[in-house]
Amino acid sequence: MLAGASARTSLRLGDSVEKASPCREAAGHDFWLTGLQVLSTPGQVQAIRQVRPDHAEGVIDVLLNPKEQVQFLDLGDVGAPLKEGRDMWIIGSAPELLQVAKDIAEALKVPVLAAAAEAVAKQVENNGSTKAATFLIGEELRTVTLLAVPPAQSRVVCKARPDVIAKQMQGKIRGKDILIAVTEENRLATGLAVARCLPPFASKADTPSPADATVRFYGAAPGPMLEKLNHMATAVRLAQGLVDMPPNFIQPATLKEFVLAATKGLDKVTAHVIEGTELRDKGYGGLWNVGKSADQRPPCLIALTHNPSGVSADSGPVGVALVGKGITYDTGGAALKPREGMCGMKRDMGGAAGVFGAWLAAVKCGGLPTGAPLHCVLCIAENGIGPGMFLNDDIIMHYSGLTSEINNTDAEGRLVLADGVAHAVKNLGAELIVDMATLTGAQAISTGKHFSSILASDEVLEKEIVDAGRKSGEGAHPGLFAPELLLSEFDSEFADMKNSVKDRSNAQSSCAGLFIYKHLKHAGHQGRWIHCDMYYPSFLGEYATGYGVGLLCAQLGVV
């Protein structure tokens, strides 16, 4: 960190220079620089790029043009990366791992690799077992790290065990070649799990030189899935970067500009933005009230549509709408969070990041298999504090036509999503509406840290989304879809409903989803609905997971 720099000063390796930002280096003076990028040796700043909340171009460039990529490639010569001077990971269940290691050992005449594989395959722990083999290729030492993945032992856990891959490989694949040796049914989940292990955003002076990771599959060629995996991996890492970036980088305006930049030039795609007081004037009372107090950071609703066949909803609901909660920072508003509860609330836009990543990947993969419209609705705001903030006891009017009596300004996600799903009904005519959000801390009490809590309007749809979770490695488990039992938790004497439950021990996470469902139905929706509360699965340790991209692409039939 430069002398006198505050915690807002940030550094990143490997970017080019556009222009320098003015700063004051005297001790005690605050820097307003963000997004500093190191161009040479660690710790030696030669030039900087301006990346400020009111200058979105730098943020957009970092996200859309990351200095490190995760690339899925054809197998080719299995030992080529080692010959070219790169180290390797081999991952898979014990039998497949043993076979590929023996094949490489034989081809390169390095018996130590086969011996290491036999050792690691003998006893595979529940958290996975690893062993490294180091040997000479020519005059250079190369290392192959073997990860034996244990089998799933229950019907709800993904057989690829992406949780093991995350624990063992997070942050360890930079510059490496990763060889995946798994059965066909586990390729998608394993590939996406590996893609998450190279975090796209960092802000440190001492950062390694950028280096891509390559991923190949041993065995039958993945065929058309290879291109789709590349699109999905890019989308996962994009979602990770959005969530990991701090709130002085990602604010409502910068997120809006990023989304528009990311979709520019896509064929058959249209975008519509409702922003600031226009939300108020058009009746989006939930989104407007949550975001109105954030000074010079107006809330907005973005509606994206991919309609390759030009289908109209005039004759009835058609297509799919993905609706995401995009709270770029959540202070709790008037119901202010304590410090311990506020740190990490940059992640409160994880739902929007997930649905946008899924939508973007799906569009680049050709859209819905049916050719029907695929929409993405992003409800973007900062739940701030200030003179104009909404208050507990306020009554607000939603776009659905229902009113909410506010008894917790920190239960803001459901307020913005109520407007988002109503928009999808009234303006987009979608047959299936999916909302996704980091909605409640109670989600982990219901379904833990590896599974989102989902609600579905029918049993077939519920099974589809659960199966999609197992296929993609992004676990989803049913909550309690029982509006007749739970909606009374929101009873109000003065409005159609309150926004927070009376009894926090009564299926709280499911109740939050049903708040959205009531607005959806009142807006006139006659089709199907999925709700996904994914707060805890949206991050692992300090890093975002990009949750939602794989789950939704699998559920929609993109892969």
Side-chain angles (χ1 to χ4, degrees):
M1 185 174 289
L2 297 174
S6 76
R8 293 183 61 195
T9 307
S10 43
L11 303 145
R12 181 181 171 86
L13 177 67
D15 228 337
S16 58
V17 183
E18 288 186 352
K19 65 179 180 178
S21 300
C23 61
R24 295 171 293 175
E25 298 190 26
H29 285 279
D30 184 33
F31 274 58
W32 52 269
L33 304 174
T34 57
L36 299 177
Q37 282 99 28
V38 180
L39 297 182
S40 59
T41 58
Q44 182 181 11
V45 183
Q46 291 190 342
I48 59 177
R49 169 178 292 180
Q50 184 180 38
V51 183
R52 297 189 329 235
D54 59 345
H55 189 177
E57 288 85 353
V59 173
I60 292 168
D61 183 63
V62 167
L63 289 167
L64 292 184
N65 302 293
K67 298 306 174 185
E68 297 174 322
Q69 306 280 354
V70 177
Q71 299 177 319
F72 288 82
L73 305 175
D74 288 320
L75 179 62
D77 179 355
V78 70
L82 294 170
K83 299 173 187 176
E84 295 164 1
R86 298 173 64 206
D87 291 335
M88 180 184 288
W89 279 84
I90 303 175
I91 62 175
S93 58
E96 288 87 1
L97 181 80
L98 192 57
Q99 184 60 56
V100 66
K102 286 182 175 180
D103 288 351
I104 295 176
E106 182 178 342
L108 299 180
K109 296 180 172 54
V110 284
V112 65
L113 179 58
E118 289 176 358
V120 79
K122 283 182 180 178
Q123 184 173 356
V124 182
E125 303 292 337
N126 186 52
N127 286 329
S129 298
T130 62
K131 192 170 184 63
T134 300
F135 45 83
L136 282 171
I137 297 290
E139 297 182 353
E140 292 189 7
L141 281 174
R142 297 267 64 87
T143 297
V144 174
T145 304
L146 303 158
L147 171 58
V149 179
Q153 298 179 28
S154 74
R155 69 182 187 276
V156 300
V157 174
C158 174
K159 293 181 180 180
R161 291 300 301 274
D163 58 303
V164 169
I165 295 170
K167 288 175 184 175
Q168 298 288 353
M169 300 180 68
Q170 176 69 26
K172 299 176 183 177
I173 67 171
R174 177 178 285 106
K176 305 289 197 304
D177 180 69
I178 298 93
L179 197 56
I180 296 175
V182 297
T183 58
E184 184 175 354
E185 65 177 334
N186 291 331
R187 283 180 180 159
L188 174 63
T190 303
L192 292 180
V194 170
R196 295 185 189 100
C197 291
L198 184 62
F201 173 74
S203 192
K204 296 182 177 181
D206 189 6
T207 307
S209 297
D212 291 347
T214 54
V215 186
R216 301 176 297 154
F217 291 93
Y218 188 82
M225 182 183 280
L226 199 64
E227 183 180 3
K228 292 183 177 182
L229 267 172
N230 275 310
H231 288 314
M232 291 175 67
T234 298
V236 164
R237 299 185 70 239
L238 181 150
Q240 287 178 294
L242 282 170
V243 175
D244 280 340
M245 276 191 165
N248 57 328
F249 280 42
I250 299 292
Q251 297 176 2
T254 48
L255 181 54
K256 177 196 70 175
E257 293 301 327
F258 166 75
V259 168
L260 296 178
T263 56
K264 186 177 181 180
L266 292 178
D267 191 34
K268 306 296 184 181
V269 167
T270 57
H272 180 60
V273 178
I274 307 172
E275 187 172 22
T277 54
E278 187 181 2
L279 289 167
R280 177 198 64 196
D281 297 343
K282 290 187 173 180
Y284 296 83
L287 186 51
W288 163 250
N289 277 281
V290 169
K292 66 180 180 177
S293 72
D295 187 37
Q296 299 181 3
R297 302 172 190 179
C300 67
L301 182 143
I302 304 175
L304 307 166
T305 296
H306 177 244
N307 191 359
S309 303
V311 176
S312 170
D314 292 344
S315 57
V318 63
V320 179
L322 309 177
V323 184
K325 170 189 172 184
I327 302 298
T328 57
Y329 199 73
D330 182 15
T331 68
L336 188 66
K337 294 178 184 288
R339 180 189 66 81
E340 295 82 0
M342 199 184 301
C343 291
M345 283 298 105
K346 65 179 183 178
R347 303 187 187 111
D348 216 18
M349 41 81 72
V355 299
F356 177 65
W359 179 89
L360 192 63
V363 170
K364 290 186 176 182
C365 289
L368 295 176
T370 61
L374 178 61
H375 311 281
C376 180
V377 180
L378 304 176
C379 307
I380 301 171
E382 177 182 309
N383 188 19
I385 53 174
M389 63 186 172
F390 77 127
L391 302 172
N392 292 327
D393 292 338
D394 279 357
I395 293 179
I396 64 176
M397 172 72 79
H398 290 273
Y399 193 63
S400 67
L402 292 175
T403 56
S404 290
E405 178 185 357
I406 306 303
N407 61 338
N408 185 1
T409 63
D410 197 21
E412 83 297 330
R414 64 201 68 181
L415 299 175
V416 305
L417 286 174
D419 284 353
V421 297
H423 180 92
V425 176
K426 293 183 175 184
N427 301 98
L428 304 177
E431 188 276 326
L432 170 62
I433 295 177
V434 183
D435 72 78
M436 179 173 285
T438 52
L439 199 62
T440 67
Q443 172 270 311
I445 298 171
S446 298
T447 55
K449 295 184 177 182
H450 298 287
F451 290 80
S452 64
S453 176
I454 60 103
L455 301 178
S457 56
D458 65 71
E459 190 173 4
V460 172
L461 192 58
E462 180 182 279
K463 185 178 185 304
E464 285 180 5
I465 194 72
V466 170
D467 289 346
R470 277 197 293 268
K471 179 180 179 179
S472 65
E474 296 182 357
H477 197 75
L480 184 60
F481 180 74
E484 65 271 41
L485 298 180
L486 298 178
L487 276 175
S488 59
E489 287 291 338
F490 299 107
D491 285 352
S492 167
E493 294 295 324
F494 300 102
D496 292 308
M497 56 200 310
K498 292 185 178 181
N499 77 313
S500 190
V501 294
K502 293 179 289 187
D503 184 354
R504 296 174 74 86
S505 64
N506 187 18
Q508 187 183 166
S509 179
S510 296
C511 286
L514 290 170
F515 178 96
I516 300 163
Y517 177 74
K518 183 169 182 177
H519 286 268
L520 177 83
K521 297 301 288 184
H522 194 79
H525 186 54
Q526 300 299 316
R528 298 175 298 157
W529 172 70
I530 296 172
H531 164 72
C532 180
D533 186 350
M534 36 71 82
Y535 177 65
Y536 274 89
S538 71
F539 65 97
L540 179 66
E542 293 292 321
Y543 291 101
T545 61
Y547 185 98
V549 175
L551 176 71
L552 294 177
C553 283
Q555 200 279 329
L556 296 174
V558 175
V559 288

